[in-house]
Amino acid sequence: MINFFNEDIDFKFKYKNNFKAWLKKVAEKEGFRINDLNYIFCSDQYLHKINLEYLNHDTFTDIITFDNSEDESTLEGDIFLSIERIIDNSRILDTHFEEEIKRVIVHGLLHLCGHDDHSIEEKAEMRRLESEYILTF
């Protein structure tokens, strides 16, 4: 089950069923099945508070992923996304909002699949996978 929620913003997320089907395909290609996945759209302030409280990071970010999986082959988690950050990033990167939100949404799923982005090499691989999967949307 894949759910989309708003926490402290009024955001109309379109094409939920298309995103759900796409995310299921991405998970399958990565060797996983989605059991319970929640995407929570929120503001910069809301996500900043989570970043401080749970990760002790005093920075703004576009996404925070919490892995709640108990089975190695099944994905469960909560993925918080700042719509304000995604809008700003799309302006900075000169991309459409729709492409940037796809990138961030699949980025969270890839984290749950075990991909990290701490090193330069990991970031490059994560970006490559994001781009590859965006093309399959």
Side-chain angles (χ1 to χ4, degrees):
M1 176 180 294
I2 302 171
N3 301 297
F4 299 98
F5 301 102
N6 289 348
E7 191 49 50
D8 67 335
I9 61 169
D10 183 24
F11 174 65
K12 304 292 185 236
F13 186 60
K14 299 177 183 178
Y15 315 112
K16 290 178 185 177
N17 289 334
N18 294 16
F19 272 85
K20 288 177 183 182
W22 177 56
L23 291 166
K24 287 177 187 176
K25 283 191 268 183
V26 170
E28 286 173 13
K29 186 157 182 167
E30 290 288 318
F32 294 91
R33 182 179 58 81
I34 295 174
N35 188 35
D36 189 22
L37 186 56
N38 299 307
Y39 284 91
I40 302 101
F41 301 111
C42 60
S43 69
D44 272 348
Q45 292 299 347
Y46 190 90
L47 197 53
H48 182 249
K49 185 177 176 184
I50 290 173
N51 211 8
L52 278 169
E53 187 175 333
Y54 292 96
L55 303 175
N56 203 28
H57 296 158
D58 189 9
T59 58
F60 287 104
T61 186
D62 52 1
I63 185 169
I64 295 177
T65 304
F66 293 100
D67 187 351
N68 303 325
S69 303
E70 295 180 10
D71 180 2
E72 288 182 18
S73 64
T74 304
L75 301 179
E76 294 185 20
D78 297 313
I79 300 173
F80 291 83
L81 302 100
S82 167
I83 294 301
E84 292 169 291
R85 262 323 85 213
I86 294 169
I87 291 169
D88 284 349
N89 288 344
S90 69
R91 288 184 191 135
I92 292 166
L93 299 170
D94 195 27
T95 63
H96 292 285
F97 172 79
E98 291 77 12
E99 181 179 343
E100 190 60 22
I101 200 163
K102 286 176 192 172
R103 184 172 305 284
V104 177
I105 284 173
V106 79
H107 183 92
L109 182 71
L110 290 170
H111 272 308
L112 293 176
C113 292
H115 297 281
D116 285 320
D117 57 359
H118 301 294
S119 71
I120 293 170
E121 295 81 11
E122 289 172 336
K123 285 180 184 178
E125 177 62 8
M126 181 74 89
R127 193 62 143 174
R128 185 191 70 74
L129 286 169
E130 292 165 4
S131 297
E132 177 183 315
Y133 287 128
I134 286 170
L135 292 174
T136 67
F137 185 83

